[in-house]
């Protein structure tokens, strides 16, 4: 079992930045690829970014490429999402998720999910 707790969301103006954090319980964090997903009101969940177990590989949705950066610190059992140049369309609840071994871009591929953190970008 892995428990995930996100933090760092909030209200920011367009063009601003936020850094989300997700802390995982357990001693096997490095066994999991990690992902960030988001869900805006009235929309389906959307893949944002994923990172491999040791951080050597990262993948991003086209909508955030060049603006968001996913990273991890296995010593701290934490994955981050640095979000720059935020746009109103980035407004959503952001979720981190864990999947054993390999990265994935589909939400159905992930086994564990956090409760989410709200990000609101005002225009």
């Amino acid at each position: 079992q892995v428990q995930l707790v996100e933090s760092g969301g909030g209200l920011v103006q367009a063009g601003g930045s936020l850094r989300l954090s997700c802390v995982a319980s357990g001693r096997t964090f490095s066994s999991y690829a990690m992902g960030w997903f988001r869900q805006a009101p009235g929309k389906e969940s959307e893949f944002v970014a994923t990172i491999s177990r040791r951080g050597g590989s990262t993948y991003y949705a086209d909508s955030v490429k060049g603006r968001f950066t996913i990273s991890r610190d296995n010593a701290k059992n934490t994955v981050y999402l640095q979000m720059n140049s935020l746009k109103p369309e980035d407004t959503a609840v952001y979720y981190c998720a864990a999947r054993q071994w390999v990265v994935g871009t589909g939400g159905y591929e992930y086994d564990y999910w956090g409760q989410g953190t709200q990000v609101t970008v005002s225009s």
Side-chain angles (χ1 to χ4, degrees):
Q1 282 281 357
V2 176
Q3 292 186 328
L4 304 172
V5 179
E6 303 98 333
S7 63
L11 174 65
V12 64
Q13 289 189 331
S17 299
L18 283 174
R19 187 176 82 155
L20 306 183
S21 300
C22 173
V23 179
S25 65
R27 295 176 290 178
T28 59
F29 181 67
S30 59
S31 298
Y32 293 87
M34 300 297 296
W36 285 97
F37 292 79
R38 66 186 182 185
Q39 188 166 21
K43 295 188 176 181
E44 293 186 354
S45 178
E46 174 188 22
F47 165 75
V48 175
T50 185
I51 187 167
S52 59
R53 290 179 292 149
R54 294 176 182 171
S57 297
T58 57
Y59 302 92
Y60 297 92
D62 287 343
S63 58
V64 307
K65 203 171 293 183
R67 299 188 297 123
F68 291 10
T69 302
I70 188 171
S71 62
R72 65 189 295 161
D73 184 340
N74 286 349
K76 296 182 178 180
N77 281 15
T78 302
V79 62
Y80 304 98
L81 186 68
Q82 178 67 44
M83 306 185 295
N84 298 330
S85 302
L86 282 160
K87 305 175 181 180
E89 51 263 45
D90 294 318
T91 295
V93 178
Y94 283 71
Y95 299 90
C96 72
R99 179 191 188 210
Q100 276 202 310
W101 307 127
V102 297
V103 297
T105 60
Y108 64 92
E109 298 176 287
Y110 286 77
D111 304 303
Y112 303 101
W113 294 81
Q115 293 298 309
T117 185
Q118 176 72 46
V119 172
T120 303
V121 184
S122 63
S123 56

